[in-house]
Amino acid sequence: MAHIPPRKPGKKALRYGVPVAVAGVAAVTVGLVPALADTGDPELPEVTAEELVAKMAESKTDQLTGTVKVDTDLGLPSIPGMAGGGGGEEHGGMFGGGGEQAEERGDTKGGPSESPGGAPRQKLMELASGEHTLRVAADGPEKQRVSIVEDTAEYSFIHNGKDLWTYDSASDSASHTELPEKAAKGGQHEKMPDLTPQKAAKKALAAVDDTTSVSVDGTAKVADRDAYQLVIKPKADAKSTVESVRIAVDAENGTPLKFTLMPRGGGEPAVDIGYTDVDFQQPDADQFDFQPPEGTDVTREKLGAKAPELEEKFQDKFKGEGKELRSGLDGLNVLGEGWDSVVEVELPKNALGGLVSGGRSDAPQIGKLLDGFTDEVKGDFGTGRVIESELVNALITEDGKVYAGAVTKDGLVDAAEEAAK
Amino acid sequence: MSRADTTSADDAREPVPGTAPPAEAGATTTQPEAGPAGQGGSLGRGLSLFRSELSITFRRWRTLALLAVLLGVPVVVGIAVKIETSDGGSVGGGGGGGEGPAFIAQITNNGLFLVFTALAVTLPFFLPMTVGVVAGDAVAGEAASGTLRYLLVAPAGRTRLLCVKYATTLVFCLAATLTVALSALVTGALLFPVGEVTLLSGTTVSFGEGLLRAFAIAVVVAASLVGLAALGLFISTLTNSGVTAMAATVGLLITVQILDTIPQLDVMHPALFPHYWLSFGDLLRDPVYWDQLVRNLGLQGVYAVVFGSAAWARLTSRDVTA
């Protein structure tokens, strides 16, 4: 057999060095480039917190196109009864998931209201956990669109005048809502998802009162723009589980670019919403035109008298700051002020299904399971169980009341005792 | 066996200039790398080697069988969707959101979507498997059938041979992808209505632009296989058995695909070559969402350079005994 040695033997190591070097360079580039780009916070003229808040409030940005990264880690277990008619396949959504709900879901699933194009609420629930990418575009108060970017699919909300469309490309279905005259002109409508840094910042500012400290903490670069960092903190004696809220405000036009909520327990941000890319030019007009493709399932709905119900549907999920929660929702009270506010909900009679007294029912293993992820507490309100998470805690009492809020367990018990008096 | 299973293999080799009958090894190894011809000559020689390599690869029964399988997949998917929706229902009972392969719900409204569905169906396994077979066989197959040394004693040069092998594999990537796409396009047009295309974002574009995007997607899908092709070529230089190289490449593909689905390993996911494969769907957004597409292409480029140069290091420094 012929034996053919290489023409230039003896440089084996050198040759293998090439792929190793290329791999090394690639790894270093991937690792270092973001780090290098991160350094050097922009130098900007000093501003006071008041000036910055005023700048943010005055901000008149209503034309923009951008990409928003939403990263939420509320670590929420499910709260029965709150899920309502939530259907099938949300992946550990805010109030989805969780074994004790299986039965309830089974009931609703078969129903005719599996709302193909709709289920926008379900989509929003999905946003409440994990990492998501949104693309937003806005052109004045009458035209906005928000698209949830998914693998090989997209879920879009398109608001144009009095039309509000949702289009789900995964199931090729759409829903159309005709908005009442006032809402159409009134800018950002309730039904549009609230998950832009602007909305989140507005809510955080609404919660500012004398239990809060507001300060400016340096500058940052967000989505390639210079920004001031505004830090909002509950004062030390507060029972809030929120450590701080950090808002990056565009130095030029005062638009909030990034919103970060740190839980008191430390670690990863519980909510992190920020533009990764933003452009304040007028977006393409045809982005706001939606014609349902032929053959697409379209659910139609006219909005009028049903407004409160819808408001309930699209209520903001950041309970701690959500002052709007005071309006709308039936059977829902907000106790306390500012950061310590707690929501009280009365559940339908059968919703609990022996959850609280589960330990004493004829299925002892359920009780054990419950003990695994809840704590039993006693007080003026009777016996209850506390479900704890990073940010939001909930107390469910025997008589079917749920207290929930971004407050510590003690704060929750105090609020419940206060309410029971 | 790879060489032997084509009866025309020897004829196809014939036009390669300088393919002398097997000479004594010692005589050729003293030849300078570039050969007596100048730069243009060596390029021309490379081209004719490439041409003969292409015709050998695409005349091989195995290649044709692989392409036939790829041709069949869209037809099967199209007929299945047609049957399921023939009673007026929609795929997956409607409102399924995310059930079944990507884009499948839109097929009934627009046959063009069969192209995207077919690519999404074949991309995780069928397509890369065929590429793994072709790439894995590229060098190891020659070694197994004893033809590698004939190629090397010709003044083709090892580097040039490797480049030609890689180029042929890339042509196969494109051919395989286009086979799926065209078969899906024809099937879709025959079974379903075609017309204006509603993009994922809900905006509507003309059928012409839809076709253009479909073509761009096919090219992106083919480019997604570039990294795997380099990996297969590298494995192919490690062994003298074509079957071993093919099995190793396909096995590695499956392993990496599994690793990519394990959430605990998400730190390493962005470095796995199939991780951004489905990003081709981003071309169907309006405006196009480039982020993942660019990452995919960049990652494929890194894989191509790393494993391409590793294959080069291996082939140019090893003794060829078969």
Side-chain angles (χ1 to χ4, degrees), chain A residues 302-323:
Chain A
K302 199 163 176 179
L303 207 61
K306 290 202 291 179
E309 187 193 326
L310 272 165
E311 204 168 333
E312 172 189 357
K313 274 190 179 175
F314 299 101
Q315 266 310 342
D316 148 52
K317 288 179 290 302
F318 304 117
K319 300 271 181 288
E321 300 96 46
K323 287 212 168 175

Side-chain angles (χ1 to χ4, degrees), chain A residues 234-359:
Chain A
K235 291 210 169 125
D237 57 336
K239 293 167 195 138
S240 173
T241 50
V242 177
E243 164 72 31
S244 68
V245 171
R246 186 173 282 265
I247 304 169
V249 184
D250 191 295
E252 208 174 293
N253 57 24
T255 311
L257 296 176
K258 194 170 165 68
F259 174 94
T260 316
L261 196 155
M262 300 295 297
R264 178 150 291 187
E268 298 285 300
V271 181
D272 193 1
I273 307 171
Y275 284 103
T276 53
D277 171 44
V278 68
D279 181 3
F280 295 101
Q281 307 285 318
Q282 184 175 18
D284 260 354
D286 54 348
Q287 278 198 54
F288 304 104
D289 288 333
F290 177 75
Q291 292 296 329
E294 227 171 289
T296 298
D297 298 325
V298 180
T299 358
R300 286 177 195 277
E301 176 171 25
K302 199 163 176 179
L303 207 61
K306 290 202 291 179
E309 187 193 326
L310 272 165
E311 204 168 333
E312 172 189 357
K313 274 190 179 175
F314 299 101
Q315 266 310 342
D316 148 52
K317 288 179 290 302
F318 304 117
K319 300 271 181 288
E321 300 96 46
K323 287 212 168 175
E324 293 100 289
L325 275 176
R326 281 156 212 243
S327 64
L329 269 167
D330 288 338
L332 189 147
N333 300 312
V334 177
L335 315 168
E337 280 292 321
W339 298 93
D340 298 345
S341 49
V342 168
V343 197
E344 182 193 50
V345 194
E346 243 177 280
L347 293 180
K349 275 281 170 272
N350 55 357
L352 280 178
L355 174 70
V356 175
S357 52

Side-chain angles (χ1 to χ4, degrees), chain A residues 170-188:
Chain A
S171 60
D172 193 27
S173 49
S175 77
H176 178 241
T177 310
E178 208 171 298
L179 303 177
E181 209 54 24
K182 201 174 120 237
K185 288 194 185 125
Q188 310 254 331

Side-chain angles (χ1 to χ4, degrees), chain B residues 63-259:
Chain B
T63 314
L64 296 178
L66 290 175
L67 291 179
V69 170
L70 291 176
L71 197 75
V73 172
V75 179
V76 172
V77 173
I79 291 175
V81 171
K82 185 78 183 170
I83 291 172
E84 197 188 335
T85 58
S86 57
D87 56 351
S90 60
V91 184
E99 283 165 35
F103 311 116
I104 202 160
Q106 289 111 310
I107 294 178
T108 40
N109 297 339
N110 197 327
L112 189 61
F113 273 92
L114 186 57
V115 175
F116 313 133
T117 308
L119 287 173
V121 168
T122 50
L123 187 52
F125 192 70
F126 281 107
L127 266 176
M129 189 189 69
T130 60
V131 171
V133 167
V134 170
D137 190 54
V139 177
E142 302 273 4
S145 61
T147 43
L148 182 58
R149 58 200 165 112
Y150 298 145
L151 287 169
L152 291 182
V153 293
R158 297 184 181 204
T159 308
R160 196 185 310 155
L161 176 71
L162 197 69
C163 289
V164 165
K165 288 287 186 189
Y166 191 49
T168 310
T169 314
L170 295 190
V171 170
F172 177 79
C173 291
L174 190 62
T177 314
L178 287 179
T179 305
V180 175
L182 289 177
S183 158
L185 186 61
V186 172
T187 314
L190 288 178
L191 294 180
F192 304 101
V194 287
E196 288 194 325
V197 183
T198 302
L199 300 175
L200 297 186
S201 311
T203 34
T204 308
V205 297
S206 66
F207 184 66
E209 193 187 332
L211 268 183
L212 205 68
R213 290 198 188 223
F215 180 71
I217 281 176
V219 172
V220 166
V221 169
S224 300
L225 300 168
V226 162
L228 177 72
L231 195 59
L233 194 65
F234 171 58
I235 293 174
S236 184
T237 61
L238 295 177
T239 166
N240 279 343
S241 155
V243 177
T244 310
M246 288 186 247
T249 310
V250 174
L252 194 69
L253 164 77
I254 298 169
T255 314
V256 172
Q257 288 277 45
I258 291 170
L259 289 183

Side-chain angles (χ1 to χ4, degrees), chain A residues 51-371:
Chain A
E51 283 167 356
L52 194 55
V53 170
K55 185 175 187 131
M56 203 156 77
E58 281 165 15
S59 166
K60 287 270 187 295
T61 313
D62 58 0
Q63 288 187 338
L64 66 84
T65 318
T67 309
V68 178
K69 267 239 148 72
V70 180
D71 196 349
T72 35
D73 181 16
L74 304 183
L76 274 186
S78 61
I79 303 173
M82 295 283 277
E89 34 44 67
E90 54 199 74
H91 322 287
M94 192 163 185
F95 301 121
E100 75 271 21
Q101 241 179 291
E103 222 173 289
E104 193 191 347
R105 275 199 203 170
D107 290 339
T108 50
K109 206 175 178 184
S113 63
E114 220 182 297
S115 52
R121 178 167 64 133
Q122 202 177 316
K123 274 290 155 193
L124 294 182
M125 291 290 190
E126 275 179 38
L127 285 181
S129 72
E131 213 179 301
H132 300 272
T133 305
L134 310 183
R135 306 179 91 189
V136 295
D139 185 3
E142 291 197 14
K143 290 179 178 180
Q144 296 109 26
R145 71 171 289 149
V146 176
S147 297
I148 306 168
V149 177
E150 299 160 347
D151 279 352
T152 67
E154 200 165 313
Y155 195 101
S156 308
F157 298 79
I158 302 152
H159 171 212
N160 190 348
K162 61 181 177 45
D163 294 317
L164 185 94
W165 288 95
T166 68
Y167 178 66
D168 180 10
S169 85
S171 60
D172 193 27
S173 49
S175 77
H176 178 241
T177 310
E178 208 171 298
L179 303 177
E181 209 54 24
K182 201 174 120 237
K185 288 194 185 125
Q188 310 254 331
H189 190 262
E190 283 297 319
K191 206 173 174 180
M192 296 291 287
D194 270 0
L195 285 156
T196 56
Q198 285 105 307
K199 295 281 187 105
K202 223 171 243 174
K203 292 218 170 82
L205 281 185
V208 167
D209 51 30
D210 45 356
T211 61
T212 312
S213 80
V214 182
S215 60
V216 179
D217 180 27
T219 59
K221 251 206 166 4
V222 178
D224 257 347
R225 293 186 65 91
D226 295 343
Y228 291 105
Q229 301 242 52
L230 187 70
V231 177
I232 303 175
K233 272 189 186 175
K235 291 210 169 125
D237 57 336
K239 293 167 195 138
S240 173
T241 50
V242 177
E243 164 72 31
S244 68
V245 171
R246 186 173 282 265
I247 304 169
V249 184
D250 191 295
E252 208 174 293
N253 57 24
T255 311
L257 296 176
K258 194 170 165 68
F259 174 94
T260 316
L261 196 155
M262 300 295 297
R264 178 150 291 187
E268 298 285 300
V271 181
D272 193 1
I273 307 171
Y275 284 103
T276 53
D277 171 44
V278 68
D279 181 3
F280 295 101
Q281 307 285 318
Q282 184 175 18
D284 260 354
D286 54 348
Q287 278 198 54
F288 304 104
D289 288 333
F290 177 75
Q291 292 296 329
E294 227 171 289
T296 298
D297 298 325
V298 180
T299 358
R300 286 177 195 277
E301 176 171 25
K302 199 163 176 179
L303 207 61
K306 290 202 291 179
E309 187 193 326
L310 272 165
E311 204 168 333
E312 172 189 357
K313 274 190 179 175
F314 299 101
Q315 266 310 342
D316 148 52
K317 288 179 290 302
F318 304 117
K319 300 271 181 288
E321 300 96 46
K323 287 212 168 175
E324 293 100 289
L325 275 176
R326 281 156 212 243
S327 64
L329 269 167
D330 288 338
L332 189 147
N333 300 312
V334 177
L335 315 168
E337 280 292 321
W339 298 93
D340 298 345
S341 49
V342 168
V343 197
E344 182 193 50
V345 194
E346 243 177 280
L347 293 180
K349 275 281 170 272
N350 55 357
L352 280 178
L355 174 70
V356 175
S357 52
R360 283 166 296 282
S361 76
D362 36 326
Q365 64 269 42
I366 295 179
K368 250 186 214 156
L369 193 72
L370 275 173
D371 286 336

